[in-house]
Amino acid sequence: MGNLETYRNLVNLRLEQLFAQPHDGRPELLNDAMWYSVKAGGKRLRPCMLLAAVDMLGGDVSEAMDFACAVEMIHTYSLIHDDLPGMDNDSMRRGRPTNHVVYGVGQAILAGDGLLNLAFETMLNASSRRPERAAQDLLAIGEIAKGSGVTGMVAGQCLDLECERNASMSGVDVLEKIHEGKTACMFVYPLRAAARLCAAEEETLSALTQFGKMYGLLFQAADDLTDVVGNSAEAGKTLGKDAESGKLTCVSIWGVEGTRERIARLQKAAIHALDGFDARADFFRTLAEKAAQVS
Amino acid sequence: MGNLETYRNLVNLRLEQLFAQPHDGRPELLNDAMWYSVKAGGKRLRPCMLLAAVDMLGGDVSEAMDFACAVEMIHTYSLIHDDLPGMDNDSMRRGRPTNHVVYGVGQAILAGDGLLNLAFETMLNASSRRPERAAQDLLAIGEIAKGSGVTGMVAGQCLDLECERNASMSGVDVLEKIHEGKTACMFVYPLRAAARLCAAEEETLSALTQFGKMYGLLFQAADDLTDVVGNSAEAGKTLGKDAESGKLTCVSIWGVEGTRERIARLQKAAIHALDGFDARADFFRTLAEKAAQVS
């Protein structure tokens, strides 16, 4: 088992291969716009979790690499579209101008579309090189598609947007639906894809699903809390935006202390979901501990 | 072999099943926004061509249905995003307000993202129900992904947008690259997917590829010509937009008569590509004849 840095280096290396000098004839401008945002990526949490899960289940990390990169492409496309005018209208992300500020709204829309499509292309290409495992690969790609789709991430973003424009949509149920969709699904389904790639048993699949969900909710709760109590320089982004825009967040519902309690509870639940795994799951236990640390 | 109407009815029936009352828990607003544009669809040319090719090659049309519907979803998403401010900024399509006019820019972006993702989900779901054909299905989905992706449709749209903003990009080579990408690819690759679903031989694959390319260029040349000489009521859209915006089109390069000649030449080439097929390819021969009729 590696640590986060080991996996991140592998992911970055493969992303570099996929974007730095593509030889498939894609337009240069399109590739530049996609790579601009992919390159700016942070911790590569989601692809690393997929690789770590494959590793933990005894699978081949290098064979899973293109699935991991696809997950990062999907995550990146969602950020590009999320930042657009008409969505969050953000002009800075990770300390750099957002995609549409640099390339214009039209090209940013296409860069996002291109990344979502390329994610599938990348997984399908990898799979077509090993037809003997086609059935397993189909299930794995299906998990990613479900996670990023109209009952997953896109659903969460739709509700989030609807909620901002409709004051009558509020409360714990709405919040949890939004956080599950827009945040937790992109942890849950990459983990499920890893399990599919390893032909893992149902029990493993459901333990990873539960961990992913608890971790995702924890991650979002910590993000909500950071927006209120965090330090902008450390967080690498403008804070205080949620309260300013009257957004429905953990803090708007439970307050600062209540959110801290929620974080502690979710951390425990995430770690509890891993009870059936031995020390090889320590990668995930550490992740949950780190995610819960909001100063 | 059916005719266009037979296949269209089948496609519409299945699309209705997939959108009219979905039971997968997707947000109602998201489904409404997607269905609004899918429902407004016209001739369903692309999915019908996929089904007709499967039929012609002796495959099972009903087994190919979800692939056909996926193609229509991808076509629809591209129209929703194309109409957005920042892209073509169109407020009417097929006689109705465009998606973002009705649902707002943010939800229209998400409706497009949702449709692209749902296209893959739909194909992957269909494939996972028949694991014994997984390897073939992977290749078929891979063809669709390539057609709609960063070397296909998205590439064409990127170049088209770049070209509008950059007067130094012009000439026949640029035009053909744009038309191949944004128009022909979504004919070529669904046909290739049909061939994959039927495990057709290389020769069939390349004949259909050639037909799709010639047909796509023909289709776009006819569209360009209609914009100049057509009747708005018949065409169901505002005409004269291309000339007004100084867009690079067949007419801007070859003039009206030159474009008519190009259309005749492309029609011949499309039909010639089908020489190896018997009367079962008449569906496609008729399509090429009809596409060439611009009054």
Side-chain angles (χ1 to χ4, degrees), chain B residues 31-283:
Chain B
N31 190 65
D32 285 354
M34 295 191 298
W35 186 220
Y36 174 82
S37 291
V38 171
K39 199 170 50 185
K43 295 189 284 293
R44 312 290 190 203
L45 255 184
R46 294 157 190 81
C48 289
M49 282 169 82
L50 186 150
L51 295 180
V54 166
D55 216 356
M56 178 175 84
L57 300 174
D60 183 334
V61 167
S62 67
E63 290 275 315
M65 191 56 70
D66 283 358
F67 290 78
C69 290
V71 167
E72 187 67 9
M73 290 181 209
I74 292 173
H75 176 57
T76 308
Y77 115 78
S78 77
L79 301 180
I80 296 175
H81 281 189
D82 214 37
D83 288 336
L84 286 169
M87 302 278 287
D88 284 356
N89 197 17
D90 272 316
S91 56
M92 293 293 281
R93 175 172 295 273
R94 291 172 177 146
R96 306 166 72 204
T98 47
N99 201 288
H100 65 272
V101 170
V102 178
Y103 294 96
V105 172
Q107 292 294 357
I109 293 171
L110 292 174
D113 294 345
L115 279 171
L116 174 56
N117 201 101
L118 190 59
F120 287 105
E121 252 188 291
T122 305
M123 292 186 282
L124 291 159
N125 279 344
S127 302
S128 71
R129 288 193 291 271
R130 50 189 199 206
E132 72 285 359
R133 288 165 54 180
Q136 251 168 267
D137 282 355
L138 267 179
L139 291 178
I141 305 174
E143 297 286 356
I144 308 268
K146 198 159 167 23
S148 59
V150 298
T151 57
M153 189 180 68
V154 175
Q157 287 177 309
C158 169
L159 293 175
D160 198 18
L161 193 61
E162 202 182 352
C163 187
E164 274 175 37
R165 274 140 221 214
N166 183 349
S168 73
M169 271 181 77
S170 61
V172 175
D173 285 359
V174 174
L175 180 87
E176 295 228 312
K177 240 182 172 169
I178 293 173
H179 287 191
E180 264 187 50
K182 77 171 191 175
T183 312
C185 279
M186 283 306 283
F187 292 110
V188 169
Y189 287 90
L191 289 173
R192 290 179 61 91
R196 296 296 190 184
L197 289 173
C198 301
E201 285 171 22
E202 202 49 54
E203 217 182 323
T204 304
L205 203 63
S206 61
L208 287 176
T209 302
Q210 176 66 6
F211 173 79
K213 186 174 159 183
M214 294 303 114
Y215 180 82
L217 294 176
L218 162 61
F219 184 90
Q220 187 61 57
D223 197 60
D224 285 0
L225 184 60
T226 301
D227 192 72
V228 176
V229 305
N231 175 300
S232 287
E234 265 173 48
K237 59 181 176 184
T238 319
L239 299 178
K241 274 194 72 173
D242 294 344
E244 201 180 297
S245 63
K247 202 177 165 93
L248 180 67
T249 70
C250 290
V251 182
S252 80
I253 289 195
W254 293 291
V256 167
E257 276 320 300
T259 302
R260 284 197 197 280
E261 281 161 30
R262 178 176 165 85
I263 287 172
R265 213 165 45 242
L266 288 167
Q267 183 200 344
K268 226 181 246 172
I271 288 171
H272 178 59
L274 301 170
D275 281 354
F277 298 100
D278 63 14
R280 293 177 71 87
D282 282 352
F283 174 90

Side-chain angles (χ1 to χ4, degrees), chain A residues 46 75 78 82 88 146-149 151-164 169-190 209-228 237 242-243 245-255 258-260 262-263 265-266, chain B residues 27:
Chain A
R46 293 157 191 82
H75 176 57
S78 77
D82 214 37
D88 284 356
K146 197 159 169 19
S148 59
T151 58
M153 190 180 68
V154 175
Q157 287 177 309
C158 170
L159 293 175
D160 199 18
L161 194 62
E162 201 183 353
C163 186
E164 273 175 37
M169 272 183 75
S170 62
V172 175
D173 286 358
V174 174
L175 179 88
E176 294 227 312
K177 241 180 170 169
I178 293 173
H179 287 191
E180 264 187 49
K182 77 172 191 173
T183 313
C185 279
M186 283 305 285
F187 292 110
V188 169
Y189 287 90
T209 302
Q210 175 66 5
F211 173 79
K213 186 174 159 183
M214 294 302 114
Y215 180 82
L217 294 176
L218 162 62
F219 184 90
Q220 187 60 58
D223 197 60
D224 285 0
L225 184 60
T226 301
D227 192 73
V228 177
K237 59 180 175 184
D242 294 345
S245 62
K247 203 177 166 92
L248 180 67
T249 70
C250 290
V251 182
S252 79
I253 289 196
W254 294 291
T259 302
R260 283 198 197 281
R262 179 176 165 85
I263 288 172
R265 212 165 46 242
L266 288 167

Side-chain angles (χ1 to χ4, degrees), chain A residues 84-96:
Chain A
L84 286 169
M87 302 278 286
D88 284 356
N89 197 16
D90 273 316
S91 56
M92 293 293 282
R93 174 172 296 272
R94 291 172 179 150
R96 306 167 71 205

